Amino acid sequence: MTTHQEPRPSAATRPVRWAADVVATLREGARLRLDYSAQSLWRVDRMIEEIRREGTPPAAVETVLRGLGAYAGEVIVRQTGAEWWASGGEHWIRTPDGRLWDPVDEARRCFAGDGSLRLLCRDATDGTRRP
């Protein structure tokens, strides 16, 4: 039996790729397994905190932060049925209740010491989890 899977919106193409790239890179380089669960975002927040404490310049980790933000967005998409949206080179997600979230920017805020991908996921999925 085959199941029909709805195509993802074209806005999802880049962030889905960024998330997959960071998952593969961390699995190979840091031996860190990310499984697209909300619990995995604890590890992601801690990893971003460690990078920040090392004094890494923001420009040096922009691609990693973008990938980790996209990963958090994919966690939310998979848990709630949210969709990726894009405009002007920016990507965000819209949960089924109509709220908009910017996980890539939240990853940057986390690196600055003023954000949390785990808490963003908790807030975004509150009351909107898939049955």
PDB file of all heavy atoms in Angstrom, residues 39 47 65 68 80 108:
ATOM      1  N   GLN A  39      12.460  17.401  22.382  1.00  0.00           N
ATOM      2  CA  GLN A  39      13.494  17.156  23.392  1.00  0.00           C
ATOM      3  C   GLN A  39      14.894  17.430  22.847  1.00  0.00           C
ATOM      4  O   GLN A  39      15.781  17.847  23.588  1.00  0.00           O
ATOM      5  CB  GLN A  39      13.419  15.712  23.913  1.00  0.00           C
ATOM      6  CG  GLN A  39      12.158  15.400  24.681  1.00  0.00           C
ATOM      7  CD  GLN A  39      10.960  15.121  23.758  1.00  0.00           C
ATOM      8  OE1 GLN A  39      11.104  14.894  22.558  1.00  0.00           O
ATOM      9  NE2 GLN A  39       9.771  15.171  24.318  1.00  0.00           N
ATOM     10  N   MET A  47      24.273  23.578  22.789  1.00  0.00           N
ATOM     11  CA  MET A  47      25.349  23.678  21.823  1.00  0.00           C
ATOM     12  C   MET A  47      25.562  25.132  21.395  1.00  0.00           C
ATOM     13  O   MET A  47      26.703  25.607  21.321  1.00  0.00           O
ATOM     14  CB  MET A  47      25.064  22.814  20.595  1.00  0.00           C
ATOM     15  CG  MET A  47      26.230  22.784  19.638  1.00  0.00           C
ATOM     16  SD  MET A  47      25.926  21.781  18.206  1.00  0.00           S
ATOM     17  CE  MET A  47      24.611  22.685  17.460  1.00  0.00           C
ATOM     18  N   LEU A  65      23.904  28.666  12.624  1.00  0.00           N
ATOM     19  CA  LEU A  65      22.713  29.194  13.299  1.00  0.00           C
ATOM     20  C   LEU A  65      21.490  29.117  12.396  1.00  0.00           C
ATOM     21  O   LEU A  65      20.396  28.757  12.847  1.00  0.00           O
ATOM     22  CB  LEU A  65      22.947  30.633  13.770  1.00  0.00           C
ATOM     23  CG  LEU A  65      24.011  30.813  14.840  1.00  0.00           C
ATOM     24  CD1 LEU A  65      24.242  32.299  15.109  1.00  0.00           C
ATOM     25  CD2 LEU A  65      23.625  30.089  16.127  1.00  0.00           C
ATOM     26  N   LEU A  68      20.429  25.494  12.425  1.00  0.00           N
ATOM     27  CA  LEU A  68      19.804  25.105  13.693  1.00  0.00           C
ATOM     28  C   LEU A  68      18.428  25.736  13.854  1.00  0.00           C
ATOM     29  O   LEU A  68      17.503  25.106  14.364  1.00  0.00           O
ATOM     30  CB  LEU A  68      20.719  25.469  14.860  1.00  0.00           C
ATOM     31  CG  LEU A  68      22.026  24.670  14.917  1.00  0.00           C
ATOM     32  CD1 LEU A  68      22.951  25.235  15.985  1.00  0.00           C
ATOM     33  CD2 LEU A  68      21.758  23.188  15.149  1.00  0.00           C
ATOM     34  N   THR A  80       3.112  20.151  14.425  1.00  0.00           N
ATOM     35  CA  THR A  80       1.857  20.897  14.364  1.00  0.00           C
ATOM     36  C   THR A  80       1.202  20.945  12.993  1.00  0.00           C
ATOM     37  O   THR A  80       0.061  21.363  12.886  1.00  0.00           O
ATOM     38  CB  THR A  80       2.068  22.366  14.813  1.00  0.00           C
ATOM     39  OG1 THR A  80       2.885  23.029  13.835  1.00  0.00           O
ATOM     40  CG2 THR A  80       2.685  22.447  16.187  1.00  0.00           C
ATOM     41  N   ARG A 108      19.622  33.026  16.223  1.00  0.00           N
ATOM     42  CA  ARG A 108      20.557  34.158  16.366  1.00  0.00           C
ATOM     43  C   ARG A 108      20.420  34.794  17.749  1.00  0.00           C
ATOM     44  O   ARG A 108      21.416  35.150  18.371  1.00  0.00           O
ATOM     45  CB  ARG A 108      20.282  35.193  15.285  1.00  0.00           C
ATOM     46  CG  ARG A 108      20.627  34.722  13.889  1.00  0.00           C
ATOM     47  CD  ARG A 108      20.339  35.808  12.854  1.00  0.00           C
ATOM     48  NE  ARG A 108      20.437  35.283  11.520  1.00  0.00           N
ATOM     49  CZ  ARG A 108      19.434  35.262  10.651  1.00  0.00           C
ATOM     50  NH1 ARG A 108      18.262  35.786  10.958  1.00  0.00           N
ATOM     51  NH2 ARG A 108      19.601  34.751   9.457  1.00  0.00           N
TER      52      ARG A 108
END
